[in-house]
Amino acid sequence: MRILFTIPHFFKPSQAGRYGSVYQTPQQRIQALTSNLSALHQLYNQSQCIINIAQRLALPANQSQAHEIKVIICTSQNYHLLHQLPLSPQLYTHHPTQAEPMLLGFECQVVLRDCLGQYDYYCYLEDDLILHDPWFFIKLKWFTQQIGDLSLLQPNRYEVSPHGVVHKAYIDGDLAAHVTAKFQNVQEKPELIGTIMETPVTFRRPFNPHSGCYFLTANQMDYWANQPYFLDRDTSFVGSLESAATLEIMKTFHIYKPTPVQAGFLEIQHFGTAFLSLINKKVKSQLYMPCL
């Protein structure tokens, strides 16, 4: 299988702003993007082996789940940290643009469209997202085969920390219903139940479809690219970054996510603890925390 990943990457430090691309240190942003790229190649490319100690040989491993992948990083002007990454430039292709930084997600859509017919999956993920699941695309393929091309399964984003009240938090919980009501009807096929390894798994139309990423089959990408609103650069969902990642796919597909009971069925890590650190500060925890 051939997989294309597009990643918008921007860094320009500022005291103002609410995004990691402006308030994090260069070291944090470098670490985030390094983790992002490393995970893609470690999980999904064909360079995987098992060491046979008796024969002193490195033999192929995970080849049924290994794919031919290409990663294209879209940047804005000279506001990026690619030259500081502790990685080989051969792991990605740099696609420089003069776009407004907050609109880089739309430049990724241009790249995806221009590569129609060349890949089996067309993917977008923000530069601070990290995949850990080698079965990620197997799960996506299973879902699409069961439900059809007009439904799209999105992962739950989460943050982790060994410190604090909560060690893991999923960060894209429900928005007020009116925020997405004009873009999607969550009452249309609101819930699906599948069975994986004799275990029921429930998927629900979320009031917050945002995940900072999407992963489309070739058929889904072709269908989306032929919609009249494709690349209209509409930014009316929350903000520019959220709109680039979510608005058009919300208009195009029935979006589902695994329910909180089984949130980890399909998930992706958000680098850092920006949301997790809000718990018991701006977000009240209702978890029962046993005395230790």
Side-chain angles (χ1 to χ4, degrees):
M1 191 161 69
R2 303 190 71 204
I3 305 175
L4 173 63
F5 296 95
T6 58
I7 300 173
H9 168 62
F10 166 76
F11 181 77
K12 184 180 180 182
S14 170
Q15 295 301 315
R18 59 191 178 96
Y19 298 110
S21 56
V22 296
Y23 73 78
Q24 289 180 338
T25 65
Q27 290 73 26
Q28 288 174 304
R29 211 64 187 171
I30 291 168
Q31 185 180 349
L33 182 55
T34 299
S35 298
N36 176 315
L37 293 170
S38 298
L40 296 181
H41 287 277
Q42 291 162 5
L43 291 169
Y44 306 120
N45 82 5
Q46 298 166 341
S47 181
Q48 303 184 47
C49 74
I50 182 169
I51 297 176
N52 185 306
I53 297 175
Q55 300 181 40
R56 298 186 180 181
L57 290 175
L59 304 174
N62 291 325
Q63 294 307 295
S64 63
Q65 298 162 221
H67 312 291
E68 181 181 341
I69 72 171
K70 182 170 184 177
V71 182
I72 299 178
I73 301 179
C74 296
T75 62
S76 173
Q77 303 164 54
N78 291 316
Y79 300 122
H80 64 81
L81 298 168
L82 296 185
H83 57 288
Q84 297 186 46
L85 292 180
L87 297 172
S88 168
Q90 295 180 350
L91 296 182
Y92 60 87
T93 297
H94 182 199
H95 181 75
T97 78
Q98 296 299 311
E100 288 295 322
M102 294 296 107
L103 300 179
L104 268 177
F106 296 111
E107 298 304 310
C108 290
Q109 293 177 15
V110 173
V111 172
L112 293 173
R113 179 203 58 195
D114 291 347
C115 292
L116 276 171
Q118 301 178 39
Y119 294 89
D120 300 294
Y121 267 92
Y122 293 79
C123 311
Y124 168 90
L125 64 164
E126 293 171 355
D127 63 353
D128 57 358
L129 297 181
I130 308 163
L131 283 161
H132 295 280
D133 185 357
W135 286 64
F136 190 86
F137 287 95
I138 294 172
K139 294 174 182 178
L140 289 176
K141 186 176 180 179
W142 168 84
F143 181 87
T144 304
Q145 288 175 339
Q146 300 299 313
I147 310 304
D149 290 330
L150 292 182
S151 295
L152 178 64
L153 184 60
Q154 287 284 83
N156 288 305
R157 286 195 306 171
Y158 68 91
E159 292 181 351
V160 292
S161 173
H163 312 291
V165 176
V166 178
H167 293 164
K168 182 176 185 178
Y170 291 93
I171 63 176
D172 295 309
D174 283 346
L175 298 169
H178 68 84
V179 177
T180 62
K182 60 182 177 180
F183 306 120
Q184 64 170 0
N185 178 11
V186 298
Q187 300 307 317
E188 184 178 354
K189 298 181 180 178
E191 188 173 280
L192 302 171
I193 300 177
T195 301
I196 306 290
M197 298 182 182
E198 302 181 356
T199 302
V201 182
T202 303
F203 309 96
R204 188 171 297 151
R205 301 285 304 275
F207 286 109
N208 185 0
H210 184 64
S211 298
C213 56
Y214 49 79
F215 307 85
L216 306 178
T217 66
N219 287 341
Q220 289 171 328
M221 185 65 221
D222 183 70
Y223 178 76
W224 176 29
N226 282 285
Q227 299 307 304
Y229 47 79
F230 181 73
L231 269 179
D232 64 2
R233 290 175 168 79
D234 183 357
T235 60
S236 58
F237 173 62
V238 184
S240 301
L241 293 184
E242 294 82 2
S243 293
T246 303
L247 181 53
E248 286 197 16
I249 62 168
M250 177 169 40
K251 294 178 182 178
T252 306
F253 304 103
H254 294 158
I255 291 181
Y256 291 87
K257 288 184 181 181
T259 59
V261 174
Q262 296 153 322
F265 174 80
L266 197 77
E267 62 180 16
I268 189 167
Q269 183 184 355
H270 184 249
F271 179 84
T273 59
F275 291 90
L276 191 59
S277 62
L278 299 176
I279 296 176
N280 276 356
K281 294 179 182 178
K282 295 183 179 181
V283 177
K284 183 178 180 182
S285 173
Q286 294 188 356
L287 294 178
Y288 168 70
M289 305 301 293
C291 296
L292 300 178

